[in-house]
Protein backbone atom coordinates (compact mmCIF):
# COMPACT_ATOMS: atom_id res chain seq x y z
CA UNK A 1 0.00 0.00 0.00
CA UNK A 2 1.52 3.33 -1.06
CA UNK A 3 1.59 6.30 1.29
CA UNK A 4 -0.48 8.42 -1.13
CA UNK A 5 -3.12 5.72 -1.40
CA UNK A 6 -3.33 5.35 2.39
CA UNK A 7 -3.68 9.11 2.82
CA UNK A 8 -6.49 9.23 0.24
CA UNK A 9 -8.20 6.37 2.06
CA UNK A 10 -7.92 8.34 5.30
CA UNK A 11 -9.83 11.33 3.91
CA UNK A 12 -12.55 9.05 2.49
CA UNK A 13 -12.73 7.27 5.86
CA UNK A 14 -13.00 10.59 7.72
CA UNK A 15 -15.96 11.61 5.52
CA UNK A 16 -17.60 8.26 6.31
CA UNK A 17 -17.12 8.83 10.04
CA UNK A 18 -18.50 12.38 9.89
CA UNK A 19 -21.54 10.99 8.06
CA UNK A 20 -22.08 8.30 10.71
CA UNK A 21 -21.67 10.93 13.44
CA UNK A 22 -24.42 13.04 11.91
CA UNK A 23 -26.60 9.96 11.41
CA UNK A 24 -26.60 9.32 15.17
CA UNK A 25 -27.99 12.81 15.81
CA UNK A 26 -30.80 12.68 13.24
CA UNK A 27 -31.94 9.23 14.36
CA UNK A 28 -35.60 9.43 15.41
CA UNK A 29 -34.96 7.51 18.64
CA UNK A 30 -31.85 8.87 20.34
CA UNK A 31 -30.83 7.01 23.50
CA UNK A 32 -27.76 8.23 25.32
CA UNK A 33 -25.62 5.68 23.47
CA UNK A 34 -26.36 7.49 20.18
CA UNK A 35 -24.84 10.69 21.50
CA UNK A 36 -21.78 8.76 22.64
CA UNK A 37 -21.44 7.23 19.17
CA UNK A 38 -21.80 10.65 17.53
CA UNK A 39 -18.84 11.97 19.55
CA UNK A 40 -16.83 8.78 18.90
CA UNK A 41 -17.33 8.92 15.12
CA UNK A 42 -16.62 12.66 14.99
CA UNK A 43 -13.37 12.21 16.95
CA UNK A 44 -12.25 9.39 14.64
CA UNK A 45 -13.15 11.52 11.63
CA UNK A 46 -10.90 14.28 12.99
CA UNK A 47 -8.00 11.79 13.18
CA UNK A 48 -8.43 10.76 9.52
CA UNK A 49 -8.84 14.36 8.36
CA UNK A 50 -5.71 15.42 10.26
CA UNK A 51 -3.63 12.65 8.65
CA UNK A 52 -4.67 13.98 5.24
CA UNK A 53 -3.96 17.61 6.23
CA UNK A 54 -0.55 16.73 7.69
CA UNK A 55 0.42 15.09 4.40
CA UNK A 56 -0.99 17.96 2.34
CA UNK A 57 1.04 20.67 4.13
CA UNK A 58 -2.09 22.79 4.59
CA UNK A 59 -1.02 26.29 5.65
CA UNK A 60 -4.22 26.95 7.61
CA UNK A 61 -3.90 23.62 9.39
CA UNK A 62 -0.28 24.19 10.38
CA UNK A 63 -1.04 27.79 11.38
CA UNK A 64 -4.09 27.21 13.57
CA UNK A 65 -4.75 23.50 14.21
CA UNK A 66 -1.40 21.73 14.48
CA UNK A 67 -1.66 18.83 16.98
CA UNK A 68 -5.32 19.66 17.68
CA UNK A 69 -6.23 16.11 16.60
CA UNK A 70 -4.40 14.82 19.67
CA UNK A 71 -6.92 16.61 21.89
CA UNK A 72 -9.68 14.49 20.36
CA UNK A 73 -7.99 11.32 21.57
CA UNK A 74 -8.69 12.68 25.06
CA UNK A 75 -12.34 12.69 23.97
CA UNK A 76 -12.42 9.42 22.02
CA UNK A 77 -11.12 7.21 24.83
CA UNK A 78 -13.61 8.36 27.49
CA UNK A 79 -16.61 8.22 25.16
CA UNK A 80 -15.72 4.72 23.95
CA UNK A 81 -15.57 3.66 27.59
CA UNK A 82 -18.85 5.42 28.48
CA UNK A 83 -20.56 3.88 25.44
CA UNK A 84 -19.62 0.34 26.43
CA UNK A 85 -20.29 1.04 30.11
CA UNK A 86 -23.80 2.16 29.15
CA UNK A 87 -24.50 -0.68 26.68
CA UNK A 88 -22.99 -3.62 28.58
CA UNK A 89 -23.84 -2.81 32.20
CA UNK A 90 -27.02 -0.70 31.92
CA UNK A 91 -25.33 1.72 34.32
CA UNK A 92 -27.00 5.10 34.58
CA UNK A 93 -24.64 7.83 33.37
CA UNK A 94 -25.19 11.42 34.46
CA UNK A 95 -24.18 14.45 32.43
CA UNK A 96 -21.90 15.41 35.33
CA UNK A 97 -19.97 12.17 34.76
CA UNK A 98 -19.79 12.85 31.02
CA UNK A 99 -18.44 16.37 31.60
CA UNK A 100 -15.88 15.06 34.09
CA UNK A 101 -14.53 12.56 31.54
CA UNK A 102 -14.49 15.33 28.89
CA UNK A 103 -12.42 17.73 31.00
CA UNK A 104 -8.98 16.52 29.76
CA UNK A 105 -10.13 17.14 26.16
CA UNK A 106 -11.21 20.69 26.94
CA UNK A 107 -7.99 21.53 28.79
CA UNK A 108 -5.70 19.98 26.17
CA UNK A 109 -7.52 21.72 23.31
CA UNK A 110 -7.21 25.09 25.06
CA UNK A 111 -3.47 24.57 25.62
CA UNK A 112 -2.85 23.36 22.04
CA UNK A 113 -4.75 26.23 20.42
CA UNK A 114 -3.13 28.78 22.73
CA UNK A 115 0.33 27.51 21.73
CA UNK A 116 -0.64 27.57 18.05
CA UNK A 117 -1.56 31.25 18.30
CA UNK A 118 1.51 32.15 20.36
CA UNK A 119 3.84 30.32 17.96
CA UNK A 120 2.21 30.73 14.52
CA UNK A 121 5.17 29.51 12.45
CA UNK A 122 5.40 25.68 12.61
CA UNK A 123 9.03 25.84 11.49
CA UNK A 124 10.03 27.62 14.70
CA UNK A 125 7.62 26.12 17.16
CA UNK A 126 8.87 27.25 20.54
CA UNK A 127 6.60 24.83 22.32
CA UNK A 128 7.35 21.73 20.25
CA UNK A 129 8.39 19.81 23.34
CA UNK A 130 5.11 20.67 25.06
CA UNK A 131 3.23 19.43 22.02
CA UNK A 132 5.14 16.16 22.09
CA UNK A 133 4.25 15.66 25.75
CA UNK A 134 0.57 16.30 25.02
CA UNK A 135 0.61 13.84 22.10
CA UNK A 136 2.32 11.15 24.22
CA UNK A 137 -0.15 11.71 27.05
CA UNK A 138 -3.12 11.50 24.66
CA UNK A 139 -1.92 8.12 23.36
CA UNK A 140 -1.33 6.88 26.90
CA UNK A 141 -4.75 8.04 28.16
CA UNK A 142 -6.42 6.46 25.13
CA UNK A 143 -4.51 3.22 25.83
CA UNK A 144 -5.78 3.04 29.42
CA UNK A 145 -9.37 3.78 28.39
CA UNK A 146 -9.12 0.94 25.85
CA UNK A 147 -8.03 -1.35 28.68
CA UNK A 148 -11.21 -0.25 30.50
CA UNK A 149 -13.24 -1.07 27.37
CA UNK A 150 -11.56 -4.48 27.13
CA UNK A 151 -12.44 -5.27 30.75
CA UNK A 152 -16.09 -4.29 30.22
CA UNK A 153 -16.35 -6.42 27.09
CA UNK A 154 -14.57 -9.37 28.68
CA UNK A 155 -16.91 -9.24 31.71
CA UNK A 156 -19.91 -9.03 29.39
CA UNK A 157 -18.57 -11.94 27.33
CA UNK A 158 -18.47 -14.18 30.39
CA UNK A 159 -22.23 -13.59 30.78
CA UNK A 160 -23.23 -13.35 27.11
CA UNK A 161 -20.61 -15.24 25.04
CA UNK A 162 -21.01 -14.90 21.28
CA UNK A 163 -18.99 -14.75 18.08
CA UNK A 164 -19.98 -11.08 17.62
CA UNK A 165 -18.62 -10.13 21.02
CA UNK A 166 -15.39 -12.04 20.46
CA UNK A 167 -14.98 -10.08 17.23
CA UNK A 168 -15.44 -6.83 19.15
CA UNK A 169 -12.86 -7.92 21.73
CA UNK A 170 -10.47 -8.65 18.85
CA UNK A 171 -11.01 -5.09 17.56
CA UNK A 172 -10.22 -3.73 21.03
CA UNK A 173 -7.00 -5.77 21.28
CA UNK A 174 -6.04 -4.59 17.78
CA UNK A 175 -6.71 -1.05 19.03
CA UNK A 176 -4.39 -1.55 21.98
CA UNK A 177 -1.69 -2.78 19.59
CA UNK A 178 -2.03 0.29 17.34
CA UNK A 179 -1.94 2.51 20.41
CA UNK A 180 1.38 0.93 21.44
CA UNK A 181 2.71 1.66 17.94
CA UNK A 182 1.65 5.30 18.24
CA UNK A 183 3.23 5.63 21.69
CA UNK A 184 6.51 4.15 20.41
CA UNK A 185 6.44 6.36 17.30
CA UNK A 186 6.20 9.46 19.44
CA UNK A 187 9.01 8.45 21.80
CA UNK A 188 11.43 6.12 19.98
CA UNK A 189 10.62 5.16 16.38
CA UNK A 190 9.10 7.90 14.21
CA UNK A 191 8.74 5.51 11.28
CA UNK A 192 5.98 3.65 13.17
CA UNK A 193 3.74 6.74 13.10
CA UNK A 194 2.26 6.05 9.69
CA UNK A 195 1.70 2.35 10.45
CA UNK A 196 -0.02 3.26 13.70
CA UNK A 197 -2.26 5.83 11.97
CA UNK A 198 -3.29 3.35 9.27
CA UNK A 199 -3.99 0.66 11.89
CA UNK A 200 -6.10 3.17 13.84
CA UNK A 201 -8.24 3.95 10.77
CA UNK A 202 -8.64 0.22 9.98
CA UNK A 203 -9.77 -0.53 13.53
CA UNK A 204 -12.28 2.31 13.40
CA UNK A 205 -13.72 0.99 10.14
CA UNK A 206 -14.02 -2.47 11.71
CA UNK A 207 -15.97 -0.89 14.56
CA UNK A 208 -18.43 0.66 12.10
CA UNK A 209 -18.71 -2.72 10.36
CA UNK A 210 -19.61 -4.31 13.71
CA UNK A 211 -22.33 -1.72 14.40
CA UNK A 212 -23.80 -2.19 10.91
CA UNK A 213 -23.61 -5.98 11.11
CA UNK A 214 -25.03 -6.16 14.66
CA UNK A 215 -27.03 -2.93 15.10
CA UNK A 216 -29.02 -4.07 18.13
CA UNK A 217 -26.52 -6.50 19.60
CA UNK A 218 -26.27 -5.04 23.11
CA UNK A 219 -29.98 -4.26 23.56
CA UNK A 220 -30.89 -7.83 22.55
CA UNK A 221 -28.18 -9.33 24.77
CA UNK A 222 -29.32 -7.25 27.74
CA UNK A 223 -32.94 -8.28 27.21
CA UNK A 224 -31.97 -11.96 27.12
CA UNK A 225 -29.84 -11.47 30.23
CA UNK A 226 -32.77 -9.91 32.12
CA UNK A 227 -35.08 -12.73 31.07
CA UNK A 228 -32.61 -15.32 32.29
CA UNK A 229 -32.16 -13.37 35.50
CA UNK A 230 -35.89 -13.52 36.16
CA UNK A 231 -35.99 -17.20 35.26
CA UNK A 232 -33.36 -17.68 37.97
CA UNK A 233 -35.78 -16.26 40.50
CA UNK A 234 -34.34 -14.27 43.38
CA UNK A 235 -37.53 -14.55 45.47
CA UNK A 236 -37.69 -18.33 45.60
CA UNK A 237 -37.61 -19.36 49.25
CA UNK A 238 -39.07 -16.04 50.45
CA UNK A 239 -42.54 -15.83 51.96
CA UNK A 240 -44.08 -14.02 48.97
CA UNK A 241 -47.57 -13.88 50.46
CA UNK A 242 -46.22 -12.16 53.58
CA UNK A 243 -44.24 -9.67 51.46
CA UNK A 244 -47.32 -8.85 49.36
CA UNK A 245 -49.41 -8.28 52.49
CA UNK A 246 -46.73 -6.05 54.01
CA UNK A 247 -46.41 -4.08 50.78
CA UNK A 248 -50.18 -3.62 50.51
CA UNK A 249 -50.20 -2.43 54.11
CA UNK A 250 -47.47 0.13 53.36
CA UNK A 251 -49.52 1.46 50.44
CA UNK A 252 -53.00 1.41 51.99
CA UNK A 253 -52.31 2.29 55.64
CA UNK A 254 -49.03 4.20 55.66
CA UNK A 255 -49.54 5.60 52.13
CA UNK A 256 -45.83 5.70 51.36
CA UNK A 257 -46.66 6.53 47.74
CA UNK A 258 -47.58 10.07 48.84
CA UNK A 259 -43.94 10.70 49.69
CA UNK A 260 -42.33 12.34 46.63
CA UNK A 261 -38.95 10.84 47.54
CA UNK A 262 -40.16 7.23 47.75
CA UNK A 263 -37.73 4.89 45.96
CA UNK A 264 -37.21 1.25 45.07
CA UNK A 265 -34.26 1.08 47.47
CA UNK A 266 -36.23 2.69 50.30
CA UNK A 267 -39.24 0.38 50.00
CA UNK A 268 -37.00 -2.70 49.70
CA UNK A 269 -35.36 -1.72 53.00
CA UNK A 270 -38.80 -1.48 54.63
CA UNK A 271 -39.53 -5.03 53.49
CA UNK A 272 -36.03 -6.23 54.39
CA UNK A 273 -35.32 -7.53 50.88
CA UNK A 274 -33.00 -6.38 48.09
CA UNK A 275 -34.11 -3.88 45.38
CA UNK A 276 -33.83 -6.61 42.72
CA UNK A 277 -36.06 -8.93 44.79
CA UNK A 278 -38.67 -6.19 45.17
CA UNK A 279 -38.49 -5.47 41.44
CA UNK A 280 -39.08 -9.16 40.66
CA UNK A 281 -41.95 -9.32 43.15
CA UNK A 282 -43.67 -6.33 41.53
CA UNK A 283 -43.20 -7.75 38.04
CA UNK A 284 -44.36 -11.26 38.92
CA UNK A 285 -47.35 -10.41 41.15
CA UNK A 286 -48.50 -6.93 40.10
CA UNK A 287 -47.25 -7.07 36.49
CA UNK A 288 -45.74 -3.61 36.92
CA UNK A 289 -42.43 -1.88 37.43
CA UNK A 290 -41.80 0.17 40.55
CA UNK A 291 -42.67 3.58 39.06
CA UNK A 292 -45.83 2.26 37.45
CA UNK A 293 -46.86 0.57 40.71
CA UNK A 294 -46.37 3.75 42.75
CA UNK A 295 -48.05 6.00 40.17
CA UNK A 296 -51.10 3.72 39.99
CA UNK A 297 -51.66 4.24 43.72
CA UNK A 298 -51.05 7.97 43.40
CA UNK A 299 -53.64 8.24 40.63
CA UNK A 300 -56.20 6.37 42.77
CA UNK A 301 -55.51 8.84 45.57
CA UNK A 302 -55.93 11.75 43.15
CA UNK A 303 -59.27 10.40 41.94
CA UNK A 304 -60.54 10.36 45.53
CA UNK A 305 -59.43 13.97 46.08
CA UNK A 306 -61.03 15.13 42.83
CA UNK A 307 -64.27 13.37 43.77
CA UNK A 308 -64.50 14.69 47.35
CA UNK A 309 -63.07 18.21 46.94
CA UNK A 310 -64.98 20.00 44.19
CA UNK A 311 -62.98 23.24 44.15
CA UNK A 312 -59.54 21.72 44.56
CA UNK A 313 -56.72 22.95 42.29
CA UNK A 314 -55.27 20.23 40.02
CA UNK A 315 -51.67 21.25 40.77
CA UNK A 316 -52.38 20.97 44.50
CA UNK A 317 -53.77 17.48 43.93
CA UNK A 318 -50.63 16.51 42.01
CA UNK A 319 -48.33 17.59 44.84
CA UNK A 320 -50.60 16.16 47.51
CA UNK A 321 -50.49 12.75 45.82
CA UNK A 322 -46.69 12.61 45.52
CA UNK A 323 -46.10 13.86 41.97
CA UNK A 324 -43.27 16.32 41.37
CA UNK A 325 -44.87 18.21 38.48
CA UNK A 326 -48.19 18.77 36.75
CA UNK A 327 -46.94 17.25 33.48
CA UNK A 328 -45.90 14.00 35.21
CA UNK A 329 -49.27 13.92 36.95
CA UNK A 330 -51.16 14.43 33.67
CA UNK A 331 -49.18 11.68 31.92
CA UNK A 332 -49.72 9.15 34.73
CA UNK A 333 -53.39 10.05 35.16
CA UNK A 334 -54.10 9.61 31.43
CA UNK A 335 -52.21 6.29 31.44
CA UNK A 336 -54.41 4.77 34.14
CA UNK A 337 -57.76 6.43 33.41
CA UNK A 338 -57.66 7.40 29.75
CA UNK A 339 -58.45 11.01 30.75
CA UNK A 340 -56.48 14.02 31.89
CA UNK A 341 -57.22 15.26 35.45
CA UNK A 342 -59.13 18.24 33.98
CA UNK A 343 -61.27 15.96 31.79
CA UNK A 344 -61.91 13.65 34.75
CA UNK A 345 -62.90 16.64 36.91
CA UNK A 346 -65.33 17.91 34.25
CA UNK A 347 -66.82 14.43 33.92
CA UNK A 348 -67.54 14.40 37.65
CA UNK A 349 -69.51 17.64 37.43
CA UNK A 350 -71.85 16.39 34.66
Amino acid sequence: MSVDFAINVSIVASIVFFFFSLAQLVHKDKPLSNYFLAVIFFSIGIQGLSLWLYAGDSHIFYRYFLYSDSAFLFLLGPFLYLFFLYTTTETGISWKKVLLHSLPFVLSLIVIEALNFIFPDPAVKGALQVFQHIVSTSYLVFFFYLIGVYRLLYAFCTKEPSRALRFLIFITIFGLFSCVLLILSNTLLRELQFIGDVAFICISLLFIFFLIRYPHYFSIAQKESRERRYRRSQIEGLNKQRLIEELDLLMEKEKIHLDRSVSLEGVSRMLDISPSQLSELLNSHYKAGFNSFINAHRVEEAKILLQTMAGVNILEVAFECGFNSKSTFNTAFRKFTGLTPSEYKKQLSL
Side-chain angles (χ1 to χ4, degrees):
M1 181 189 293
S2 69
V3 173
D4 288 340
F5 176 76
I7 290 169
N8 289 332
V9 168
S10 72
I11 186 60
V12 172
S14 68
I15 293 171
V16 170
F17 285 114
F18 289 141
F19 170 79
F20 272 90
S21 177
L22 182 62
Q24 301 307 312
L25 298 178
V26 299
H27 197 278
K28 64 178 180 180
D29 178 27
K30 293 193 288 293
L32 190 58
S33 56
N34 279 63
Y35 292 103
F36 291 154
L37 282 177
V39 174
I40 289 166
F41 291 145
F42 183 80
S43 300
I44 295 172
I46 290 292
Q47 304 303 313
L49 180 63
S50 298
L51 179 61
W52 179 71
L53 290 172
Y54 274 118
D57 291 326
S58 168
H59 172 72
I60 295 177
F61 177 74
Y62 275 87
R63 170 63 179 83
Y64 298 107
F65 304 108
L66 193 62
Y67 292 104
S68 58
D69 55 303
S70 295
F72 283 87
L73 281 179
F74 285 108
L75 197 62
L76 178 58
F79 274 76
L80 271 171
Y81 177 77
L82 290 172
F83 170 76
F84 285 111
L85 180 66
Y86 181 79
T87 54
T88 62
T89 66
E90 301 178 275
T91 300
I93 297 175
S94 66
W95 285 109
K96 182 179 178 181
K97 190 172 188 177
V98 173
L99 291 173
L100 187 63
H101 280 276
S102 304
L103 191 59
F105 159 73
V106 175
L107 295 176
S108 62
L109 190 62
I110 290 172
V111 171
I112 288 170
E113 292 308 317
L115 290 173
N116 272 317
F117 276 90
I118 294 170
F119 303 97
D121 186 356
V124 289
K125 283 285 184 184
L128 191 59
Q129 197 169 20
V130 177
F131 279 123
Q132 292 299 320
H133 284 310
I134 292 174
V135 172
S136 296
T137 304
S138 71
Y139 292 151
L140 197 60
V141 168
F142 184 55
F143 178 81
F144 282 112
Y145 269 109
L146 279 183
I147 290 177
V149 169
Y150 172 80
R151 292 180 64 183
L152 287 172
L153 293 175
Y154 184 80
F156 193 69
C157 190
T158 58
K159 296 185 295 183
E160 309 293 333
S162 70
R163 180 181 298 178
L165 193 55
R166 285 194 290 271
F167 174 58
L168 193 55
I169 290 175
F170 163 75
I171 295 174
T172 307
I173 294 172
F174 191 12
L176 288 167
F177 172 72
S178 70
C179 208
V180 169
L181 289 179
L182 291 170
I183 292 170
L184 291 175
S185 72
N186 199 59
T187 54
L188 298 173
L189 303 168
R190 291 295 302 172
E191 56 269 23
L192 292 177
Q193 176 75 46
F194 180 72
I195 300 173
D197 287 335
V198 171
F200 179 86
I201 295 296
C202 291
I203 295 157
S204 305
L205 290 171
L206 284 173
F207 182 48
I208 279 192
F209 171 77
F210 175 86
L211 293 173
I212 294 173
R213 177 67 179 80
Y214 308 102
H216 306 296
Y217 174 78
F218 289 108
S219 59
I220 293 171
Q222 286 173 345
K223 182 180 178 181
E224 290 175 351
S225 178
R226 284 194 295 269
E227 289 173 352
R228 278 197 292 271
R229 198 160 58 236
Y230 281 120
R231 284 199 295 269
R232 297 191 300 268
S233 176
Q234 299 183 61
I235 58 175
E236 288 298 326
L238 297 179
N239 189 334
K240 285 181 278 188
Q241 187 58 42
R242 178 188 63 80
L243 289 172
I244 291 166
E245 290 173 1
E246 287 184 12
L247 183 58
D248 288 341
L249 189 65
L250 287 173
M251 305 304 292
E252 294 167 11
K253 300 295 183 183
E254 299 189 30
K255 296 187 181 295
I256 60 171
H257 53 281
L258 300 183
D259 181 359
R260 279 180 245 170
S261 64
V262 66
S263 66
L264 178 68
E265 291 76 13
V267 178
S268 64
R269 282 196 297 271
M270 294 176 191
L271 297 173
D272 196 25
I273 57 177
S274 71
S276 58
Q277 287 173 322
L278 175 57
S279 181
E280 184 178 345
L281 181 69
L282 292 173
N283 277 279
S284 62
H285 183 74
Y286 298 95
K287 309 300 180 187
F290 179 76
N291 288 334
S292 183
F293 176 74
I294 292 294
N295 284 340
H297 282 79
R298 287 172 173 170
V299 168
E300 288 303 312
E301 198 75 30
K303 286 165 65 178
I304 293 171
L305 290 179
L306 290 170
Q307 290 166 11
T308 57
M309 302 172 67
V312 68
N313 181 279
I314 288 177
L315 185 59
E316 290 177 1
V317 172
F319 290 144
E320 186 71 24
C321 294
F323 290 98
N324 289 311
S325 68
K326 188 176 180 180
S327 61
T328 307
F329 177 45
N330 286 340
T331 302
F333 201 94
R334 182 186 287 274
K335 176 183 176 181
F336 292 105
T337 66
L339 301 168
T340 65
S342 299
E343 291 169 342
Y344 184 80
K345 191 176 180 182
K346 286 180 184 177
Q347 199 176 73
L348 291 173
S349 61
L350 293 179

